Amino acid sequence: MQSHYSFSGFMGKRVHMGVTGSIAAYKALDLVRSFQESECMVSTVLTEACTKFIQPLSFEALGASPVYTKMFEANSGSDTTFDHLEPGQLADVMVIAPASANTMAKLAFGLADDMLSCQALAFSGPKLIAPAMNPRMWAAPATQRNWDMLGELGYIRIQPDSGHVACGDTGTGRLAPVDAIFIETLKALSPQDLAGKKVLVSLGPTREPWDAVRFWSNPSSGLMGGCMAVAAYLRGADVTVVTGPTELEFPVGIARVSVTTAQQMYEACMDLWPEMDMGCLTAAVADYRPVPYGTDKFKKTSTAGAGLSIEFETNKDILKSLGTCKKSSQKLIGFAAETRHLREQAERKLESKNLDVIAANDISKDGSGFGVPTNQVFVLDAKGRKELWSQLPKTEVAWRLWDHLLLD
Ligand code: C5P
């Protein structure tokens, strides 16, 4: 799982997974692990066809319980005669992945002739469905009609991917990435307290070119911003990320603007800001850019062994520019990476950049710098609240910062 997806505050939530007969059934095991890492309890129901690809024992061994397979005999981990109704009473969300064309058809029409379809019919909470099948079966008019019907019935639908499929064909029908199914499930389990809010997140480093091959930058991985963006998405916000060069991927529901230089990031953020409700600028923007040498590659022979001096120009402060034109309805969070005088710097920046909240961290401390999965922040807000948080996973810092911004 990608680090900016590893939210773990879902203790007490129960995910019920339905797995059907598909070559992709083994990927459901990765999903079980991901849900467990988020502290969810997991139960599963396997169709008979699924058990031809993968055994109930695999799910049991991972700790899924109950693992339902049969309609009229005892199921592993369950002692009720109403097994077909049990998930509808106990689980918070049902995820059918991979879903075969056959199971999709049953669910679309309300058939209830096996344990999975019975349980789905008796489940009134949020249901997600992620199909996997041969591209011709997926494209078949009957399957497409069933897919539309499932949308009308309120299923949260996760589109299959395109590419090569097991039978050798190419087209649409591959199971969506496990991470995508996972994150949409967490969304269904999350409070939607940012629903209707448009959120801008800047993240990652910027690169300031000097010659044809060299640039000025910093080691930001974009992880803190990635966590802020995904946390807001899980809580229902309409999120746009403006990202410098990073390895991070985002859910398809998050709009992405990729930039390289600080000037490009400035233009993208300034364009987007007027229509946003909230901004969270985490990017490690280069404060200076070298005056370009030119489009050629600089040759070291040109200094004849002497040193090299490069002149720098000042980049715009994006956060400050957004703060300057902030409307009273807009909220702005900034970050401050410092090596000394953390509190004083945070207080100064909160005011000078017209922020609602600032999170300052000491990058010289272990577990608080670039690229690490944790952060320890000093949080200060415009209402005078000051809190030093303990070292936490960046996912948790992100979740709490949105909580903090939503406080009165
Ligand atoms: O002043 P300082 O660079 O320490 O402020 C850090 C905060 O300002 C971060 O939130 C960072 O994303 C933002 N920033 C910016 N544009 C710059 C420099 C910093 O948006 N040119």
Side-chain angles (χ1 to χ4, degrees):
M1 193 200 315
Q2 304 184 68
S3 329
H4 58 311
Y5 284 14
S6 59
F7 287 84
S8 61
F10 293 85
M11 185 150 339
K13 298 287 183 190
R14 181 180 277 272
V15 180
H16 185 54
M17 285 179 53
V19 191
T20 74
S22 158
I23 188 77
Y26 72 94
K27 294 185 183 168
L29 296 171
D30 285 340
L31 258 177
V32 173
R33 298 287 292 269
S34 299
F35 291 136
Q36 289 171 335
E37 280 169 27
S38 289
E39 300 173 353
C40 293
M41 292 173 286
V42 181
S43 55
T44 56
V45 54
L46 316 183
T47 62
E48 195 186 339
C50 170
T51 63
K52 307 286 181 203
F53 289 90
I54 185 157
Q55 295 295 309
L57 182 61
S58 303
F59 291 92
E60 287 161 19
L62 288 182
S65 179
V67 177
Y68 305 96
T69 47
K70 307 174 196 90
M71 273 286 264
F72 301 108
E73 293 164 51
N75 281 289
S76 161
S78 172
D79 54 7
T80 141
T81 44
F82 296 104
D83 280 358
H84 60 304
L85 306 178
E86 201 176 46
Q89 288 155 350
L90 298 181
D92 298 284
V93 66
M94 182 165 181
V95 185
I96 300 131
S100 63
N102 179 53
T103 291
M104 272 177 60
K106 287 193 206 185
L107 301 179
F109 283 91
L111 266 67
D113 66 347
D114 65 2
M115 192 55 120
L116 190 157
S117 52
C118 266
Q119 290 180 337
L121 203 57
F123 195 92
S124 56
K127 285 182 285 209
L128 289 89
I129 186 156
M133 66 196 71
N134 169 275
R136 277 171 286 148
M137 291 174 77
W138 170 250
T143 305
Q144 289 304 305
R145 178 203 55 206
N146 296 340
W147 183 240
D148 291 344
M149 286 172 71
L150 289 167
E152 283 157 24
L153 290 172
Y155 277 81
I156 299 165
R157 298 174 304 161
I158 304 174
Q159 286 279 349
D161 256 6
S162 299
H164 288 297
V165 292
C167 53
D169 281 0
T170 302
T172 303
R174 286 162 56 115
L175 183 69
V178 165
D179 273 3
I181 304 168
F182 169 71
I183 215 73
E184 294 308 319
T185 308
L186 289 197
K187 187 169 194 235
L189 289 171
S190 298
Q192 297 297 289
D193 49 3
L194 288 174
K197 300 286 183 209
K198 288 180 157 234
V199 169
L200 167 68
V201 179
S202 81
L203 60 102
T206 63
R207 281 184 188 166
E208 311 301 323
W210 178 62
D211 73 352
V213 293
R214 300 175 181 94
F215 57 81
W216 174 256
S217 190
N218 61 67
S220 168
S221 64
L223 181 57
M224 191 63 241
C227 293
M228 290 301 299
V230 175
Y233 176 71
L234 292 178
R235 294 166 72 157
D238 178 359
V239 181
T240 302
V241 294
V242 175
T243 168
T246 73
E247 305 274 301
L248 299 182
E249 288 173 16
F250 287 96
V252 285
I254 291 186
R256 178 185 187 128
V257 181
S258 295
V259 297
T260 306
T261 65
Q263 179 61 25
Q264 290 166 352
M265 187 173 275
Y266 170 82
E267 285 165 16
C269 290
M270 288 298 275
D271 272 0
L272 290 161
W273 184 228
E275 66 191 57
M276 294 289 155
D277 298 298
M278 295 173 175
C280 174
L281 298 206
T282 72
V285 186
D287 292 319
Y288 301 94
R289 62 180 181 276
V291 174
Y293 168 73
T295 47
D296 283 343
K297 182 181 173 192
F298 175 83
K299 303 299 290 179
K300 66 180 173 212
T301 45
S302 51
T303 67
L308 170 68
S309 297
I310 298 175
E311 204 185 324
F312 281 79
E313 291 170 329
T314 307
N315 278 331
K316 294 192 184 93
D317 188 320
I318 306 168
L319 183 59
K320 191 168 185 169
S321 308
L322 264 51
T324 306
C325 57
K326 189 177 74 166
K327 294 178 268 191
S328 58
S329 59
Q330 290 177 309
K331 302 264 189 201
L332 193 54
I333 309 182
F335 278 74
E338 306 292 345
T339 50
R340 53 173 66 195
H341 308 308
L342 190 71
R343 288 168 189 249
E344 294 79 353
Q345 293 292 349
E347 275 165 25
R348 185 181 59 76
K349 288 179 189 178
L350 180 82
E351 197 177 323
S352 69
K353 301 195 187 201
N354 193 23
L355 308 179
D356 296 281
V357 179
I358 189 158
N361 63 328
D362 182 343
I363 49 170
S364 63
K365 272 194 179 164
D366 280 350
S368 238
F370 284 123
V372 292
T374 53
N375 209 353
Q376 182 178 25
V377 291
F378 170 63
V379 178
L380 181 61
D381 70 22
K383 298 199 171 116
R385 283 182 288 239
K386 297 177 187 180
E387 298 174 6
L388 179 64
W389 294 358
S390 54
Q391 193 182 99
L392 296 165
K394 284 181 174 168
T395 46
E396 185 65 25
V397 173
W399 198 273
R400 292 187 189 196
L401 279 172
W402 290 121
D403 284 347
H404 199 89
L405 197 71
L406 288 172
L407 288 174
D408 273 330

Coordinates of all heavy atoms in Angstrom, one line a residue, residues 202 262 281-287 315-320 333-338 348-349 353, ligand 1:
S202 N -0.9 21.9 -2.2 CA 0.4 21.9 -2.9 C 1.3 20.9 -2.2 O 1.3 20.8 -1.0 CB 1.0 23.3 -3.0 OG 1.7 23.6 -1.8
A262 N 8.9 26.6 -9.4 CA 8.1 27.4 -8.4 C 7.2 28.3 -9.1 O 6.0 28.6 -8.7 CB 9.0 28.2 -7.5
L281 N -0.9 24.4 1.9 CA 0.3 24.4 1.1 C 1.4 23.7 1.8 O 1.9 24.2 2.8 CB 0.6 25.8 0.7 CG -0.4 26.6 -0.1 CD1 0.3 27.7 -0.9 CD2 -1.2 25.7 -1.1
T282 N 1.8 22.5 1.4 CA 2.8 21.7 2.0 C 4.1 21.7 1.2 O 5.1 21.2 1.6 CB 2.4 20.3 2.3 OG1 2.3 19.6 1.0 CG2 1.0 20.2 2.9
A283 N 4.0 22.2 -0.1 CA 5.1 22.1 -1.0 C 6.4 22.7 -0.4 O 6.3 23.7 0.2 CB 4.8 22.7 -2.3
A284 N 7.5 22.0 -0.7 CA 8.8 22.6 -0.3 C 9.3 23.4 -1.5 O 10.1 22.9 -2.4 CB 9.8 21.4 0.0
V285 N 8.7 24.6 -1.7 CA 9.0 25.4 -2.8 C 10.4 26.0 -2.7 O 10.8 26.4 -1.6 CB 8.0 26.6 -2.9 CG1 8.2 27.4 -4.2 CG2 6.6 26.1 -2.8
A286 N 11.2 25.9 -3.8 CA 12.5 26.6 -3.8 C 12.4 28.1 -3.6 O 11.7 28.7 -4.4 CB 13.3 26.2 -5.1
D287 N 13.0 28.6 -2.6 CA 12.8 30.1 -2.4 C 13.6 30.9 -3.4 O 13.3 32.0 -3.7 CB 13.3 30.5 -1.0 CG 12.4 29.9 0.1 OD1 11.2 29.9 -0.1 OD2 12.9 29.4 1.1
N315 N 12.2 33.5 -5.8 CA 10.9 33.1 -6.2 C 9.8 33.7 -5.4 O 10.0 34.2 -4.3 CB 10.8 31.5 -6.1 CG 11.5 30.8 -7.2 OD1 11.5 31.3 -8.3 ND2 12.0 29.6 -7.0
K316 N 8.6 33.7 -6.0 CA 7.4 34.2 -5.2 C 7.1 33.3 -4.1 O 7.2 32.1 -4.2 CB 6.2 34.4 -6.2 CG 6.5 35.4 -7.2 CD 5.2 35.7 -7.9 CE 5.4 36.6 -9.1 NZ 5.6 36.0 -10.4
D317 N 6.6 33.8 -3.0 CA 6.0 33.0 -1.9 C 4.6 32.7 -2.2 O 3.7 33.7 -2.1 CB 6.2 33.8 -0.6 CG 5.8 32.9 0.6 OD1 4.9 32.1 0.5 OD2 6.6 33.0 1.6
I318 N 4.3 31.5 -2.5 CA 2.9 31.2 -3.0 C 1.9 31.3 -1.9 O 0.8 31.8 -2.0 CB 2.9 29.7 -3.6 CG1 4.0 29.6 -4.7 CG2 1.6 29.4 -4.1 CD1 4.3 28.2 -5.1
L319 N 2.3 30.7 -0.7 CA 1.4 30.7 0.5 C 1.1 32.2 0.8 O -0.1 32.5 1.1 CB 2.1 30.0 1.6 CG 1.3 29.9 2.9 CD1 0.0 29.1 2.7 CD2 2.2 29.1 4.0
K320 N 2.1 33.0 0.9 CA 1.8 34.4 1.2 C 0.9 35.1 0.2 O 0.0 35.9 0.6 CB 3.2 35.2 1.3 CG 3.1 36.5 1.9 CD 4.4 37.1 2.2 CE 4.2 38.4 3.0 NZ 5.4 38.9 3.6
I333 N -4.1 26.7 5.4 CA -3.1 26.0 6.3 C -1.7 26.1 5.6 O -1.6 25.8 4.5 CB -3.4 24.5 6.5 CG1 -4.8 24.3 6.9 CG2 -2.5 23.9 7.5 CD1 -5.2 22.8 7.2
G334 N -0.7 26.5 6.4 CA 0.7 26.4 5.9 C 1.5 25.5 6.8 O 1.1 25.1 7.9
F335 N 2.7 25.2 6.3 CA 3.6 24.4 7.0 C 4.9 25.2 7.2 O 5.1 26.1 6.4 CB 3.9 23.1 6.3 CG 2.9 22.0 6.6 CD1 1.6 22.1 6.0 CD2 3.2 21.0 7.4 CE1 0.7 21.2 6.2 CE2 2.2 20.0 7.6 CZ 1.0 20.1 7.1
A336 N 5.7 24.9 8.2 CA 7.0 25.5 8.3 C 8.0 24.5 8.7 O 7.9 23.8 9.8 CB 6.9 26.6 9.3
A337 N 9.0 24.2 7.9 CA 10.1 23.3 8.2 C 11.2 24.1 8.7 O 11.8 25.0 8.0 CB 10.5 22.5 7.0
E338 N 11.6 23.9 10.0 CA 12.6 24.8 10.6 C 13.7 23.9 11.2 O 13.5 22.7 11.5 CB 12.0 25.6 11.7 CG 10.7 26.4 11.3 CD 11.1 27.5 10.4 OE1 12.2 27.9 10.2 OE2 10.1 28.0 9.7
R348 N 5.4 34.0 13.6 CA 5.7 35.0 12.7 C 5.0 34.7 11.3 O 4.3 35.5 10.7 CB 7.2 35.2 12.5 CG 7.6 36.3 11.6 CD 9.1 36.4 11.4 NE 9.7 35.2 10.8 CZ 9.7 34.9 9.5 NH1 9.0 35.6 8.7 NH2 10.3 33.8 9.1
K349 N 5.1 33.4 10.9 CA 4.6 33.1 9.6 C 3.1 33.0 9.6 O 2.4 33.4 8.6 CB 5.1 31.7 9.1 CG 6.6 31.8 8.7 CD 7.2 30.5 8.3 CE 8.7 30.7 8.1 NZ 9.4 29.4 7.8
K353 N 1.7 35.6 6.8 CA 1.1 35.0 5.6 C -0.4 34.9 5.7 O -1.0 34.3 4.8 CB 1.7 33.6 5.4 CG 3.3 33.6 5.2 CD 3.8 32.3 4.6 CE 5.4 32.3 4.7 NZ 6.0 31.4 3.7
Ligands
C5P1 O1 8.6 30.8 4.7 P1 8.6 29.3 4.5 O2 9.2 29.0 3.2 O3 9.3 28.6 5.6 O4 7.1 28.9 4.6 C1 6.8 27.6 4.4 C2 5.3 27.5 3.9 O5 5.2 28.3 2.8 C3 5.0 26.1 3.5 O6 3.6 25.9 3.7 C4 5.3 26.2 2.0 O7 4.5 25.3 1.2 C5 5.0 27.6 1.6 N1 5.8 28.2 0.6 C6 5.2 28.7 -0.6 N2 6.0 29.4 -1.5 C7 7.3 29.6 -1.3 C8 7.9 29.1 -0.1 C9 7.1 28.5 0.8 O8 4.0 28.4 -0.8 N3 8.0 30.2 -2.2

